[in-house]
């Protein structure tokens, strides 16, 4: 009987030894927090001061260098990145049909203040357009990093649903050549522009920097910029 008891204890000890030791939940949470880059928070003026200034060069640019749209954050929902942004930004949620066809719903295009009830009237715009990103450093990236940039849902300021008409006017311009027509959102736009550039370590040229300083040191001096470096 004693021998049987000893065998049982021996087997229990062996089985416990084979169980991998896992950190307690609090430790796991801390490790996850360490893995995700912490968001930086600063004033617009200080954020502008962090931008590296270089000359721009569009040689070799093509939109095809930035693969988009991909399957989005949820690869099982049948919606691509663009559609997922439309769903996330809807003021009134649309109905999602076969093939992620969106019907109904309502959006506010913050660039121009327009209320939109037809998803087909919207573009999902890159705050810093693909051509501008290419000029500002993306030309040296790998194809994979350009794809990540073009489909960036990791920051809610990278992609925005706006009216197609206004997005066409914006085109690939930087703030030296284009600002949203609604003055009340220009500080928001300036902050999101700088946030995106810092997130992706993109540069600015002289004219762009001077335009940003006009807003940062004037009407937008109270604007706060938040960004987390892209992985």
């Amino acid at each position: 009987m004693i021998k049987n008891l000893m065998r049982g204890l021996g087997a229990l000890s062996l089985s416990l030894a084979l169980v991998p030791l896992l950190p307690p939940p609090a430790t796991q949470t801390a490790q996850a927090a360490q893995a995700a880059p912490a968001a930086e928070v600063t004033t617009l003026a200080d954020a502008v001061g962090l931008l590296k200034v270089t000359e721009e060069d569009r040689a070799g640019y093509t939109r095809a260098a930035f693969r988009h749209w991909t399957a989005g954050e949820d690869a099982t929902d049948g919606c691509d990145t663009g559609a997922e942004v439309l769903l996330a930004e809807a003021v009134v949620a649309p109905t999602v049909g076969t093939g992620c066809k969106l019907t109904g719903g309502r959006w506010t295009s913050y660039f121009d203040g327009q209320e939109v009830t037809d998803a087909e009237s919207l573009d999902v715009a890159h705050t810093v357009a693909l051509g501008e990103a290419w000029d500002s450093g993306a030309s040296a990236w790998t194809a994979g990093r350009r794809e990540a940039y073009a489909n960036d849902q990791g920051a809610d300021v990278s992609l925005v649903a706006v009216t197609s008409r206004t997005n066409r006017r914006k085109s690939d311009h930087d703030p030296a050549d284009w600002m949203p027509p609604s003055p009340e959102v220009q500080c928001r736009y300036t902050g999101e522009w700088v946030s995106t550039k810092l997130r992706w370590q993109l540069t600015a040229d002289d004219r762009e920097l001077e335009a940003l300083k006009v807003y940062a040191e004037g009407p937008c001096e109270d604007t706060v910029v938040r960004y987390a470096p892209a992985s």
Side-chain angles (χ1 to χ4, degrees), residues 28-40 154 199 227-231:
Q28 294 179 32
T29 301
Q31 290 175 345
Q34 290 175 359
E40 301 286 344
R199 172 171 168 76
Y227 70 95
S231 57

Side-chain angles (χ1 to χ4, degrees), residues 44 110-111 175 178-193 212 215 219-220 223:
L44 178 57
Y110 99 80
F111 282 0
W178 186 89
M179 288 293 286
S182 297
E184 62 270 20
V185 301
Q186 290 177 351
C187 291
R188 171 184 170 181
Y189 178 75
T190 305
E192 293 183 357
W193 177 276
L212 292 171
Y215 288 92
C220 305
T223 298

Side-chain angles (χ1 to χ4, degrees), residues 34-170:
Q34 290 175 359
E40 301 286 344
V41 182
T42 187
T43 65
L44 178 57
D46 285 347
V48 170
L50 294 174
L51 292 171
K52 182 180 178 181
V53 181
T54 62
E55 292 298 317
E56 293 185 352
D57 182 4
R58 191 158 296 195
Y61 167 68
T62 170
R63 282 181 65 84
F66 295 81
R67 180 173 174 261
H68 67 292
W69 303 113
T70 55
E73 288 186 318
D74 184 353
T76 67
D77 65 1
C79 297
D80 62 19
T81 301
E84 287 185 357
V85 172
L86 291 175
L87 289 169
E89 295 199 357
V91 177
V92 176
T95 299
V96 183
T98 303
C100 198
K101 181 175 176 56
L102 307 183
T103 55
R106 181 164 58 86
W107 292 263
T108 299
S109 168
Y110 99 80
F111 282 0
D112 50 22
Q114 296 297 305
E115 295 292 322
V116 179
T117 56
D118 180 4
E120 294 187 358
S121 298
L122 294 166
D123 281 352
V124 174
H126 295 88
T127 297
V128 176
L130 301 181
E132 171 68 20
W134 178 273
D135 297 350
S136 308
S139 60
W141 293 350
T142 64
R145 187 165 177 82
R146 286 195 290 267
E147 179 180 323
Y149 177 84
N151 298 275
D152 183 17
Q153 290 176 270
D156 59 11
V157 303
S158 296
L159 300 169
V160 59
V162 295
T163 56
S164 300
R165 179 180 63 254
T166 302
N167 190 41
R168 299 294 186 275
R169 291 172 179 167
K170 173 181 180 286

